[in-house]
Amino acid sequence: MHSVSKLTGIENEASLEASIASATSALLEYRRPDGHWVFELEADSTIPAEYVLLRHYLGEPVDAPLQAKIANYLRRVQGAHGGWPLVHDGDFDMSASVKAYFALKMIGNSADAPHMARAREAIRSRGGAIHSNVFTRFMLAMFGVLTWRSVPVLPVEIMLLPMWSPFHLNKISYWARTTIVPLMVLAALKPRAKNVSGIGIDELFLQEPHSIGMTAKAPHQSQLTALRTGGSWWSTLRR
């Protein structure tokens, strides 16, 4: 059997083999007596933050002890940069930071608290919450922080496109389908969060949030628009 160093062309074979042996030993130490491994399933900060926001969106009774634990977790994983990453000890992520800040404020953390001030400064110094991704914009629209003009136009009638059209739900990956269909429903119904406490996060924006429109089109989107409007399939579809 060839060593990894020979297969990869790595010259420092002793160092590589020692690292592999160390990693193997560490993994074996975590093995349970019957031979299996089990680890805590942990996601990034957006999952607990979204859970808190979902409960307040639905107007469900506040679970104070659980919210306190989630707040402790969010404060603990806040990065040295002031925001929240998508991976452990990772770089600042705008959307994760906006959601974590919103959740902590929803839980009851004062906007003047040191950790909130650091997060707010980190977000604003990078251009503000306007740079949040599409999913976060939808969430902010549902809470009334942004208007529905700030999210992409996703007509639910896309569901009725024929199979011969260039775009059809059956022609995209399952993950894309499970993402785009709920977004189309939200775009059609435009639901509003109950948000009994009336919490908002206007302070994370450098401009009036309700003045924000859709993000500018990327170069490839402009090219696709030109192709679409000039193609015969689009004319056929519109008839």
Side-chain angles (χ1 to χ4, degrees):
M1 181 177 178
H2 296 290
S3 67
V4 175
S5 58
K6 291 181 180 178
L7 292 174
T8 59
I10 297 176
E11 295 180 358
N12 194 349
E13 180 176 354
S15 176
L16 176 61
E17 298 296 346
S19 296
I20 294 174
S22 177
T24 302
S25 176
L27 282 173
L28 290 174
E29 289 178 2
Y30 283 107
R31 188 166 58 175
R32 298 304 175 92
D34 63 356
H36 80 279
W37 283 268
V38 61
F39 296 94
E40 178 183 0
L41 177 61
E42 185 176 3
D44 58 76
S45 61
T46 62
I47 303 303
E50 288 169 348
Y51 175 77
V52 169
L53 294 170
L54 174 63
R55 294 289 297 266
H56 286 267
Y57 167 87
L58 296 172
E60 294 184 349
V62 173
D63 186 337
L66 178 58
Q67 283 199 158
K69 292 179 180 179
I70 292 175
N72 286 337
Y73 168 78
L74 291 175
R75 289 192 293 267
R76 176 167 58 84
V77 299
Q78 185 176 12
H81 41 59
W84 282 264
L86 289 177
V87 296
H88 177 69
D89 201 26
D91 295 335
F92 172 93
D93 182 83
M94 179 61 74
S95 295
S97 299
V98 169
K99 289 178 181 177
Y101 180 97
F102 198 2
L104 285 170
K105 190 175 180 182
M106 194 71 77
I107 289 171
N109 286 205
S110 171
D112 296 324
H115 66 282
M116 297 289 277
R118 286 198 302 119
R120 186 166 57 253
E121 174 58 27
I123 292 169
R124 290 177 61 88
S125 68
R126 291 167 172 81
I130 190 175
H131 296 297
S132 299
N133 63 22
V134 170
F135 304 112
T136 306
R137 282 182 172 231
F138 264 89
M139 182 269 292
L140 294 177
M142 289 189 289
F143 274 89
V145 176
L146 297 176
T147 69
W148 288 96
R149 294 191 306 275
S150 67
V151 302
V153 176
L154 290 172
V156 72
E157 289 79 10
I158 288 175
M159 298 290 295
L160 303 177
L161 288 175
M163 278 294 295
W164 54 260
S165 65
F167 178 84
H168 192 277
L169 289 175
N170 286 355
K171 298 178 181 179
I172 61 177
S173 68
Y174 89 92
W175 184 90
R177 289 197 298 272
T178 59
T179 300
I180 194 173
V181 171
L183 290 181
M184 287 193 295
V185 174
L186 292 175
L189 299 180
K190 297 178 173 56
R192 185 65 178 265
K194 291 187 177 179
N195 191 12
V196 178
S197 302
I199 301 297
I201 52 170
D202 288 9
E203 66 271 19
L204 298 186
F205 293 85
L206 303 186
Q207 56 283 107
E208 208 287 312
H210 282 189
S211 70
I212 295 172
M214 287 194 298
T215 55
K217 287 184 177 181
H220 72 277
Q221 290 176 303
S222 299
Q223 293 168 6
L224 285 174
T225 300
L227 178 63
R228 181 193 67 185
T229 55
S232 59
W233 71 269
W234 178 247
S235 300
T236 303
L237 200 59
R238 295 175 64 185
R239 285 202 295 267

